[in-house]
Amino acid sequence: MRLSGTRRLVPANSFAEYAPEPNPETKKKDVVWFALDEDRPLFAFAGIWTEFRGDRGTKSKPIPGPHLVYGFLTTSPNAVVEPIHPKAMPVILATDEERDVWMRAPWDEAKALQRPLPDEALRIVARGVDKEDKTAA
């Protein structure tokens, strides 16, 4: 697999997942925000972009391609994310070295970055009804 021409960094300072169960007080699922620490330093998701040739949009109003599309890699969750979202978490590149490897290294080296962030490197920084991390804004 050769992805070097399509790798990108998706900058972020926090990300959220819905709690698995409704909050007993609000009867709605809380939005749980994760960051490297309370100060929300910048990090990046390991991203990939490509050109999609085809229709996007609704069936009634398709928009013909080509379209530039992107996504970011996910991996199994670490112990911080798993209780909230047991299926996956984003691949987080927290250091300059990791970001450089993702962007420049051969795939055999870069693919090793598709792993959970160590438990101690991530924490829950907010929880509640807000769908925006207002502290990070």
Side-chain angles (χ1 to χ4, degrees):
M1 177 182 274
R2 185 175 180 280
L3 297 173
S4 62
T6 63
R7 291 184 226 164
R8 295 295 182 261
L9 299 173
V10 180
N13 54 17
S14 61
F15 69 97
E17 297 288 354
Y18 282 100
E21 301 296 328
N23 180 319
E25 293 177 17
T26 64
K27 309 293 187 230
K28 295 182 179 182
K29 291 183 178 184
D30 284 344
V31 180
V32 181
W33 288 93
F34 301 90
L36 301 182
D37 64 41
E38 293 291 336
D39 294 331
R40 277 93 160 160
L42 192 63
F43 58 85
F45 297 144
I48 297 176
W49 76 270
T50 190
E51 183 178 87
F52 171 70
R53 295 186 176 273
D55 292 342
R56 294 196 69 199
T58 63
K59 288 183 180 183
S60 63
K61 294 183 181 177
I63 303 167
H67 304 277
L68 293 178
V69 296
Y70 80 96
F72 54 85
L73 278 68
T74 60
T75 188
S76 55
N78 67 12
V80 177
V81 175
E82 194 273 334
I84 305 301
H85 195 265
K87 292 184 179 181
M89 68 179 285
V91 172
I92 297 173
L93 307 174
T95 67
D96 288 340
E97 180 183 358
E98 290 172 338
R99 291 184 287 269
D100 187 60
V101 167
W102 177 248
M103 293 301 294
R104 301 180 201 290
W107 178 244
D108 285 344
E109 183 180 347
K111 70 181 179 183
L113 294 169
Q114 190 171 4
R115 79 301 180 238
L117 199 64
D119 299 342
E120 65 278 2
L122 192 67
R123 62 184 48 127
I124 293 173
V125 294
R127 184 180 185 127
V129 297
D130 286 333
K131 294 182 181 178
E132 180 181 337
D133 185 359
K134 293 181 179 169
T135 303

